[in-house]
Amino acid sequence: MAGIRYPLNKIRNIGIIAHIDAGKTTVSERVLFYTGKTYKIGEVHEGTATMDWMDQERERGITITAAATFAEWKGHQINIIDTPGHVDFTAEVERSLRVLDGGVVVFDAVAGVQPQSETVWRQADRYGVPRICFINKMDRVGADFFRSVDTIINRLKARVAVIVFPLGSEGGYLGHVDLIDRKAFYFDGDEHGAIREADVPQEAKADVERLRAELVERISETDDVLTEKYVEGKEISVAELKTALRSATVTNKLVPVLCGTALKNKGVQNMLDAVVAYLPSPDDRVEIKGIHPKTGEPETRKISESEPFAALAFKVVTDPFVGRLVYLRLYSGKVESGSIILNASKGDRDRLGRLVRMHANHREEATEAFAGDIVAALGLKNTFTGDTLCSQDKPVLLETIKFPEPVLSVAIEPKSRAEQEKMGEALRKLSEEDPTFHIRQDQETNQTVISGMGELHLEVLVERMRREYHVDATVGKPQVAYREAITASAEAEGRFVRQTGGRGQYGHVVLRIEPNERGKGFEFESKVVGGTVPREYFRPIEQGVKEALDTGIIAGFPMVDVKVYLVDGSYHEVDSNEMAFKIAGSMGIKAAVRKASPRILEPIMLIEVVTPADNLGDILGDLNGRRARIMNIEGLKDTQVVNAHVPLADTFGYATSIRSLTQGRATYTMEFDHYAEVPRSIAEEIMGKAKVTA
């Protein structure tokens, strides 16, 4: 396979994405087996899954890092990325979706759409990724295909095209009818995945014809020629329906829905057929847009190997055997191992060493890569996630990848002083791999503080440091990533005057601040007229303001969403310099913030609890004790689903509480939702602690 060249229209770059426990990795394992990539099916519950290759993934039974592989199916090359479902590892999904052409979204046939399903769906929407839905676990007790489809329509607001009709469900799930071809497919369930094709059973014919008529109407609405045919009552051929459905899927007008049960080896081959038939090839994108790194002018590249080379680095991994691996998605041109290329994001040249194609943690050597390929490169010293690599004579800068800010921090220190340097190196390498993992040195306590997306995220990274880098560390209690914000406008001046023997220091600014829109961050603008402050001091003033905001003004937490205007000031011909104005800027912003009704903000999590109906009262009582705001309670057979907003600070130890309240029968998922103002009593407590540590 490594030596075969596939034309662009025969390549599919897909991601398998879903909520935790929907069965993504099990689906991936079946795909690898049926495409001949592996000779034995790996199982998540046995710890033998190929794609979950890290020790911790096998022990915990979850996917932690996105694994890439490639396979062949009916004359097509399918590059696959199996992504994590747990919200703490959402960055892995984000970077994967940025470089993929299509996605297979896996749903649990009992639960339907779950919180993380919504998160990954929104991420796919943001990058405009066409997708198909695979409703998995049709053999589970309580499986309901059409209820799951309804949750996709109602919760995700998706326009679906249901292309199968299930034959049976739960223990009696036998297979399905393909609504377009009017053919029944039966699966015997052994690992060889034998499929028996037959006519539509008599008892299902009426339902099949009704659903097919709805499907034909829905597909016809997306194509003018078919609309005309449909209105005139003319027969629309199978080939026309498939062509129109592919076009509608590629343009995100429709989402085809299939079903099966990967664990019982049913329906995966049909899902692969749908990937080939309906999801886009790199060819369908035609071109990719970027800008010229120096001029900022728009640049485009056609998705073709005859164009100049352009690729995006979307993942960095430190491999204990070969060193630093950088995963690349090639959009145009071709590249050979040993090439000198330009890192347009950094403006530096870099040498691309060896090229390898990845199969989970195994590597196959490649001498060159072409437009549409996903490969890994060795030898790139200064390339990080989100960087653009391109040819030196035709530079282009592609859109980078944006990641959420971490919400939880812990202090960490090595068990012995001798391991301090070793720990620093391990943390640096881990932060290179994971853009949502931040490290900083607390100036006041001189502690190393690490920040991430949740307790599990940090726990996994500390465990990786111990296993992969042999560094034992002591971890402190979790600290919530509070933020500060202002709620009113204010104006204040900052004046820094110091006269010593000889040349003095003089900087004077007048700043006006006002709250910015939530999520817009920091903005600085000069409104100075008449040259009261020379232009060369604008940047030092902005730096002084930003540094003061970053280190916090009322309780030591970064201040967010502030607009700052430089409205006036004065300078001295001899004594003014950049440092004086930087200090004046810092003094001015601190004075202005104190007048602008500052508040402390806390991260609010969206939590979904699935509990037996008998335990609902206990669950609600516990949530109310955690300052939760109940959003919705929904009955689902003999269980209840509770959705609530709860402050992150009150969620610590929730896993233990929910287990003891329900004898381990309830489950929950939690993800960051937004920042909100902290109640005054808690704000005073936080500020009191900040003063004690200051």
Side-chain angles (χ1 to χ4, degrees):
M1 164 111 192
I4 302 173
R5 277 289 309 285
Y6 288 83
L8 274 177
N9 65 349
K10 298 285 187 187
I11 294 174
R12 300 288 183 272
N13 291 315
I14 66 162
I16 298 181
I17 56 178
H19 182 91
I20 190 168
D21 276 346
K24 291 175 311 305
T25 302
T26 305
V27 170
S28 302
E29 294 301 321
R30 275 23 179 213
V31 168
L32 296 180
F33 181 75
Y34 294 131
T35 57
K37 192 72 190 169
T38 56
Y39 300 103
K40 183 179 185 302
I41 293 177
E43 299 291 9
V44 175
H45 57 274
E46 292 174 3
T48 57
T50 307
M51 301 298 271
D52 283 353
W53 55 270
M54 283 173 63
D55 289 343
Q56 284 200 74
E57 292 179 314
R58 294 181 167 181
E59 287 166 16
R60 295 171 188 266
I62 60 168
T63 303
I64 290 169
T65 181
T69 189
F70 57 95
E72 192 271 345
W73 183 254
K74 296 187 177 175
H76 291 72
Q77 177 179 321
I78 304 178
N79 296 319
I80 304 161
I81 297 184
D82 173 33
T83 63
H86 197 287
V87 66
D88 281 18
F89 308 105
T90 191
E92 293 288 335
V93 185
E94 190 81 28
R95 58 165 138 221
S96 302
L97 286 172
R98 169 67 180 83
V99 298
L100 292 169
D101 300 319
V104 177
V105 191
V106 181
F107 297 93
D108 183 319
V110 178
V113 172
Q114 294 168 277
Q116 188 64 3
S117 318
E118 294 187 50
T119 303
V120 297
W121 195 272
R122 285 197 303 269
Q123 287 172 309
D125 278 343
R126 189 158 63 247
Y127 292 115
V129 177
R131 64 217 87 146
I132 62 176
C133 296
F134 182 70
I135 295 179
N136 190 29
K137 303 191 178 183
M138 284 294 293
D139 59 319
R140 270 188 72 191
V141 174
D144 188 331
F145 176 74
F146 291 104
R147 196 197 70 81
S148 296
V149 170
D150 286 341
T151 65
I152 295 170
I153 295 166
N154 297 328
R155 292 195 194 175
L156 304 178
K157 305 293 180 259
R159 192 158 172 75
V160 301
V162 177
I163 59 174
V164 296
F165 174 74
L167 296 171
S169 67
E170 301 183 347
Y173 176 66
L174 304 170
H176 63 254
V177 174
D178 184 312
L179 294 177
I180 295 180
D181 286 321
R182 287 190 176 102
K183 286 178 185 169
F185 293 93
Y186 292 94
F187 306 93
D188 62 15
D190 72 3
E191 70 169 35
H192 302 295
I195 303 174
R196 184 163 50 85
E197 199 176 303
D199 293 332
V200 178
Q202 193 62 40
E203 65 274 15
K205 272 190 174 170
D207 285 330
V208 166
E209 288 309 312
R210 175 178 56 82
L211 290 166
R212 190 179 194 276
E214 289 175 13
L215 177 64
V216 170
E217 182 182 2
R218 182 151 285 195
I219 294 172
S220 300
E221 287 169 355
T222 66
D223 184 284
D224 292 342
V225 174
L226 294 194
T227 302
E228 201 173 308
K229 268 191 160 187
Y230 183 80
V231 170
E232 291 171 2
K234 292 179 181 173
E235 183 67 27
I236 299 171
S237 71
V238 167
E240 286 175 313
L241 284 172
K242 287 185 175 178
T243 302
L245 179 55
R246 181 175 202 279
S247 177
T249 306
V250 168
T251 53
N252 277 313
K253 291 177 185 169
L254 288 177
V255 181
V257 181
L258 300 95
C259 67
T261 168
L263 188 64
K264 299 291 172 61
N265 312 305
K266 297 177 180 181
V268 176
Q269 297 99 316
N270 300 87
M271 186 266 288
L272 279 169
D273 289 340
V275 165
V276 166
Y278 305 123
L279 287 182
S281 69
D283 222 12
D284 287 301
R285 196 164 181 178
V286 184
E287 64 179 23
I288 183 141
K289 293 176 180 172
I291 58 168
H292 193 285
K294 288 196 173 142
T295 65
E297 292 295 311
E299 290 270 336
T300 58
R301 292 282 184 276
K302 286 191 172 59
I303 310 291
S304 162
E305 67 178 74
S306 58
E307 287 275 295
F309 164 65
L312 188 77
F314 68 95
K315 184 176 167 76
V316 176
V317 176
T318 304
D319 188 292
F321 302 106
V322 295
R324 199 168 180 271
L325 275 168
V326 179
Y327 284 68
L328 304 175
R329 162 69 200 265
L330 272 71
Y331 285 103
S332 64
K334 64 174 187 175
V335 70
E336 296 173 356
S337 51
S339 304
I340 304 292
I341 43 98
L342 175 71
N343 182 327
S345 307
K346 302 277 192 303
D348 298 331
R349 294 193 315 161
D350 213 337
R351 185 176 180 279
L352 197 146
R354 287 159 51 206
L355 288 171
V356 290
R357 294 184 191 279
M358 298 302 294
H359 173 47
N361 62 332
H362 301 292
R363 299 165 296 279
E364 290 184 19
E365 293 289 333
T367 53
E368 54 189 351
F370 303 87
D373 279 346
I374 291 177
V375 293
L378 290 147
L380 293 169
K381 297 280 190 295
N382 300 310
T383 300
F384 295 90
T385 300
D387 285 358
T388 301
L389 303 180
C390 58
S391 60
Q392 297 178 72
D393 52 343
K394 289 278 187 180
V396 65
L397 186 60
L398 305 175
E399 184 191 348
T400 188
I401 310 172
K402 294 182 177 69
F403 295 102
E405 285 294 309
V407 294
L408 197 69
S409 303
V410 294
I412 186 169
E413 55 185 49
K415 288 272 177 75
S416 67
R417 190 173 290 277
E419 289 190 303
Q420 182 74 46
E421 201 173 311
K422 212 166 141 190
M423 185 185 85
E425 180 66 11
L427 291 175
R428 184 186 63 76
K429 285 180 176 173
L430 289 170
S431 69
E432 276 187 17
E433 290 185 23
D434 187 346
T436 58
F437 177 53
H438 293 188
I439 311 155
R440 66 179 173 84
Q441 202 72 22
D442 190 305
Q443 300 301 323
E444 290 162 359
T445 63
N446 205 27
Q447 285 179 306
T448 302
V449 177
I450 57 174
S451 307
M453 301 306 295
E455 286 183 275
L456 179 64
H457 185 205
L458 294 175
E459 193 184 304
V460 164
L461 287 163
V462 170
E463 185 62 17
R464 280 190 64 193
M465 189 171 73
R466 187 178 70 77
R467 293 187 188 198
E468 295 171 30
Y469 299 98
H470 310 294
V471 178
D472 265 342
T474 305
V475 179
K477 283 186 178 174
Q479 302 162 359
V480 176
Y482 292 107
R483 296 284 184 266
E484 297 176 13
I486 54 170
T487 55
S489 300
E491 194 170 292
E493 67 174 354
R495 185 188 296 272
F496 180 66
V497 182
R498 182 160 293 169
Q499 198 63 47
T500 53
R503 192 170 174 176
Q505 302 262 8
Y506 184 91
H508 172 226
V509 297
V510 179
L511 301 172
R512 190 173 81 248
I513 62 171
E514 56 189 54
N516 206 349
E517 280 178 55
R518 191 56 54 84
K520 278 285 184 73
F522 167 73
E523 290 178 19
F524 182 87
E525 192 181 327
S526 169
K527 299 267 188 187
V528 168
V529 288
T532 53
V533 177
R535 184 173 291 276
E536 65 262 29
Y537 297 134
F538 291 177
R539 182 169 283 282
I541 294 166
E542 183 181 350
Q543 283 175 339
V545 166
K546 195 164 186 329
E547 282 177 19
L549 293 176
D550 285 347
T551 52
I553 291 168
I554 56 169
F557 303 111
M559 182 157 278
V560 295
D561 304 328
V562 187
K563 270 186 185 172
V564 181
Y565 299 101
L566 173 63
V567 293
D568 203 359
S570 61
Y571 73 105
H572 189 279
E573 289 284 358
V574 178
D575 291 349
S576 286
N577 56 39
E578 289 190 358
M579 182 52 72
F581 271 99
K582 185 176 178 181
I583 295 168
S586 178
M587 293 166 73
I589 196 68
K590 286 176 182 175
V593 164
R594 290 190 184 100
K595 292 182 183 176
S597 304
R599 298 285 187 270
I600 296 174
L601 305 178
E602 63 181 341
I604 304 294
M605 311 302 281
L606 176 64
I607 191 168
E608 180 176 279
V609 182
V610 181
T611 176
D614 299 348
N615 300 111
L616 180 62
D618 294 332
I619 291 291
L620 293 177
D622 184 67
L623 284 172
N624 287 328
R626 295 173 186 271
R627 295 193 288 133
R629 190 158 64 90
I630 308 299
M631 312 290 291
N632 184 39
I633 302 172
E634 185 184 341
L636 191 68
K637 295 198 174 171
D638 57 348
T639 60
Q640 295 284 326
V641 181
V642 181
N643 285 288
H645 281 141
V646 59
L648 175 65
D650 292 271
T651 63
F652 300 135
Y654 189 63
T656 308
S657 290
I658 198 172
R659 272 200 297 270
S660 62
L661 286 171
T662 65
Q663 291 79 50
R665 293 168 67 207
T667 60
Y668 79 97
T669 51
M670 189 164 58
E671 63 180 75
F672 170 71
D673 194 75
H674 65 280
Y675 270 94
E677 197 175 309
V678 173
R680 184 167 293 279
S681 59
I682 294 171
E684 286 168 1
E685 192 183 316
I686 293 167
M687 288 166 72
K689 283 180 186 172
K691 282 173 187 160
V692 169
T693 55

